[in-house]
Amino acid sequence: MNETNHPVPETPDTQNDAEKKEKTDFAGTFYELIEMLAIVTVAVMLLFAFVIRLNIVDGHSMEQTLFHGEYLAVSDLFYEPTHGDIVIIHDISQEGYADPIVKRVIATEGQTVDIRCDFHNWHLYVDGVEVDESDYHYIAADTLLLPEYKFPITVPEGEIFVLGDNRNHSADSRQIEIGTIDVRCVVGKALMRVIPLTRAEYFKNPYND
């Protein structure tokens, strides 16, 4: 004779066990999320404490690349300045950059920089080769900000030559009070713009092929 299996009716005890298991599973998931959030928070804090720092753009010397008030993620981890990088420069003992300034590296030690200006034409040369910046709109069409000392110059050992992208409105290595920059005054390389979020962008080196 075949036996028919009938479902076991739920009792108050089995219902309570199911509810307890559901609450336990929810609590476990909740605590796992809290733990994961705590780990991520600590990791981000350590990252910004020891690897990346935030710097704010002050002024208009890097327009149209960077604008006043934007925040940059900057790192100096294993960094050596390279032609084309955007860098933060700061040295409280130096008049020209006692406050942090943001510039672009044009040349490094041993390279020769020449700037030739005639009327509204600007020509920048590094080691005798003209730097093609036509795609980057670094130069406004009004009066040119001319160098304050004689060019060409060779960048001394351990120093860099920098310019602002807004070449007509930038205090940079063309000015005597700034001149070439000791690499020890380079706080780090600007990796990306993080604020405003609508303009968040990782910076590419415009001079790399």
Side-chain angles (χ1 to χ4, degrees), residues 116-137:
R116 305 173 191 174
C117 304
D118 53 85
F119 298 101
H120 286 286
N121 296 318
W122 165 290
H123 302 278
L124 173 64
Y125 295 83
V126 176
D127 291 337
V129 178
E130 185 170 6
V131 180
D132 182 9
E133 300 181 324
S134 56
D135 292 336
Y136 302 104
H137 310 292

Side-chain angles (χ1 to χ4, degrees), residues 22-35:
E22 184 177 349
K23 290 180 180 179
T24 301
D25 291 343
F26 175 79
T29 302
F30 178 75
Y31 285 122
E32 285 179 2
L33 289 174
I34 294 296
E35 184 180 22

Side-chain angles (χ1 to χ4, degrees), residues 115-177:
I115 296 175
R116 305 173 191 174
C117 304
D118 53 85
F119 298 101
H120 286 286
N121 296 318
W122 165 290
H123 302 278
L124 173 64
Y125 295 83
V126 176
D127 291 337
V129 178
E130 185 170 6
V131 180
D132 182 9
E133 300 181 324
S134 56
D135 292 336
Y136 302 104
H137 310 292
Y138 291 159
I139 307 163
D142 55 4
T143 56
L144 291 171
L145 183 59
L146 300 176
E148 294 183 349
Y149 51 94
K150 187 177 180 181
F151 279 75
I153 66 164
T154 299
V155 181
E157 182 179 357
E159 299 189 2
I160 56 176
F161 185 96
V162 300
L163 292 174
D165 286 357
N166 188 0
R167 300 288 164 77
N168 294 333
H169 303 282
S170 171
D172 46 42
S173 289
R174 291 170 293 176
Q175 278 66 58
I176 294 174
E177 67 270 19

Side-chain angles (χ1 to χ4, degrees), residues 10 35 39 55 71 94 109 123 141-142 157-158 160 162 191 198 203:
E10 289 189 358
E35 184 180 22
I39 292 172
N55 278 86
Y71 282 80
Q94 298 293 329
E109 64 177 27
H123 302 278
D142 55 4
E157 182 179 357
I160 56 176
V162 300
L191 301 177
T198 54
F203 298 130

